[in-house]
Amino acid sequence: MQIRSSIYRVLSLVVLAVVFLTLVVIAPDVLLVIFAGILFGVFFGGGGEWIARHTGLPRGAGIAIFVILILAAIISGIMAFAPAVTDQFDQLAKEIPAGIEKLREWLKDYSWGERLLGAAQPSALMSAEGGSAAASAVTMTFGALGNFVIMLFIGLYGAIDPTPYRKGLSVLLAPSLRPRADVVLDKARRTLQSWLSAQFISMTAVGLLTWLGLSLIGVPLAFILGIIAALLAFIPNIGPVLSAMPALLLALPEGNASVLQVAAVYVAVQTLESYVITPLIQQEKVSLPPALIISAQLLMGVLFGILGLALATPLTALIMTLVSALYVEDLLEHEET
């Protein structure tokens, strides 16, 4: 009987592993979208549980209140800052062309710059290759928006009632493994909640420091540039570079000294975020070796693009939690000596 039970346990784990690996090979992008949806679910669920715990309300009511509060905060922020933000966006749209023209003049001084400018001419962009690239960009934009909506719905449904999904996963396991599976799932959920809270703190710090630094050196539109920096800080490595581009373009017409000052602000903020803020927060919330994070980001970025890069760190945190619980604790620690 004991041998039969062991066979069922091993068989159920093998079946799950085969199904998961098949999905990784066939549709890895779909798995990433689902994982992003799970992150949204953890976010909504964590906020709703906090409200329910402090108010005595049911969990579902806490999640509903949390979602309503988020929507109210977004709407209030839009109403309060929309005029200023709209004016700054308009000004940004007017100022950036001057910066682009300055960049164009600078590139003309170099042979490689002339080739780059030739490739960016409208005639080149309207060619078959350019048209294909433009069509791909439009398709990717609408695809990203569609994926974002799917992530939100996965997160909402998963947060409101996670029981069917947990039971569905447990049913695929042998009965003797189900209690342990519940414990491991709880550990995974807490790990993702800790990572999300740490990431939110880091993004807020990046936005505030960027806004403060740009304001101190007299850069216009510092507020909207700080918002852009905070949002793009979610994407490691590439995000800070992308957030710096509008500020550098704004500084180009003012001369090299202004460009260097803006670059210094972004380098200083990124240095503080990468070597002080994030390590301290991650050490408190989620313990991840820096070299492992960089390696995971490189691998996921190469394999799956920006979405893979953005999700590399939480996915690494989740995998480390599962390896620690399922491999180290449940297998290696039970080795007979």
Side-chain angles (χ1 to χ4, degrees):
M1 191 67 179
Q2 183 68 29
I3 296 176
R4 190 174 184 181
S5 177
S6 299
I7 293 175
Y8 284 147
R9 286 199 298 269
V10 173
L11 182 61
S12 65
L13 292 174
V14 170
V15 169
L16 273 182
V18 169
V19 170
F20 177 74
L21 291 176
T22 302
L23 290 175
V24 168
V25 173
I26 295 176
D29 293 338
V30 174
L31 288 180
L32 285 179
V33 171
I34 293 174
F35 179 67
I38 292 173
L39 281 179
F40 276 111
V42 170
F43 172 68
F44 294 139
E49 289 172 359
W50 186 88
I51 293 176
R53 189 165 57 250
H54 288 80
T55 61
L57 293 172
R59 183 178 181 276
I63 293 174
I65 293 173
F66 183 64
V67 172
I68 291 172
L69 288 175
I70 292 175
L71 292 175
I74 294 173
I75 294 172
S76 300
I78 292 174
M79 293 178 64
F81 297 104
V85 171
T86 301
D87 291 341
Q88 291 199 5
F89 264 121
D90 290 341
Q91 188 178 350
L92 187 64
K94 294 176 182 177
E95 294 288 343
I96 282 182
I100 294 176
E101 185 60 32
K102 184 72 174 179
L103 178 62
R104 185 190 301 272
E105 294 175 359
W106 179 74
L107 288 174
K108 286 181 179 178
D109 295 335
Y110 303 91
S111 58
W112 58 268
E114 291 182 356
R115 291 194 297 270
L116 181 62
L117 289 174
Q121 292 297 323
S123 58
L125 293 175
M126 291 303 293
S127 65
E129 293 80 3
S132 176
S136 299
V138 173
T139 303
M140 289 176 61
T141 299
F142 281 101
L145 291 175
N147 286 340
F148 184 74
V149 173
I150 292 173
M151 295 171 194
L152 281 178
F153 275 101
I154 291 176
L156 284 172
Y157 285 129
I160 292 171
D161 189 11
T163 303
Y165 310 104
R166 295 187 61 151
K167 284 186 176 179
L169 180 61
S170 296
V171 166
L172 299 177
L173 295 170
S176 59
L177 294 175
R178 292 169 189 172
R180 178 58 177 167
D182 288 335
V183 173
V184 173
L185 287 175
D186 285 334
K187 284 186 176 181
R189 178 179 58 84
R190 289 193 297 270
T191 297
L192 294 179
Q193 283 181 341
S194 297
W195 180 84
L196 282 171
S197 62
Q199 187 68 15
F200 177 77
I201 295 172
S202 296
M203 291 169 63
T204 303
V206 166
L208 291 174
L209 289 173
T210 302
W211 174 39
L212 179 61
L214 295 178
S215 298
L216 289 176
I217 63 175
V219 174
L221 315 178
F223 177 73
I224 192 64
L225 291 172
I227 293 176
I228 293 173
L231 294 176
L232 289 177
F234 188 85
I235 305 174
N237 302 324
I238 292 179
V241 176
L242 295 177
S243 66
M245 294 307 295
L248 292 173
L249 287 174
L250 283 174
L252 270 175
E254 304 298 326
N256 293 335
S258 181
V259 172
L260 290 176
Q261 287 179 335
V262 170
V265 168
Y266 277 90
V267 170
V269 171
Q270 181 60 24
T271 302
L272 282 173
E273 187 271 334
S274 299
Y275 296 103
V276 179
I277 298 173
T278 296
L280 288 176
I281 296 172
Q282 293 287 6
Q283 185 177 3
E284 179 70 22
K285 299 288 186 179
V286 182
S287 180
L288 290 175
L292 178 61
I293 295 176
I294 294 172
S295 301
Q297 290 171 354
L298 177 62
L299 178 63
M300 294 293 291
V302 170
L303 293 178
F304 307 113
I306 291 180
L307 182 59
L309 181 62
L311 298 177
T313 306
L315 190 58
T316 302
L318 176 62
I319 291 174
M320 285 192 64
T321 299
L322 295 179
V323 169
S324 175
L326 300 177
Y327 179 65
V328 177
E329 295 178 13
D330 291 356
L331 183 62
L332 298 185
E333 296 297 334
H334 288 80
E335 179 187 13
E336 294 183 1
T337 59

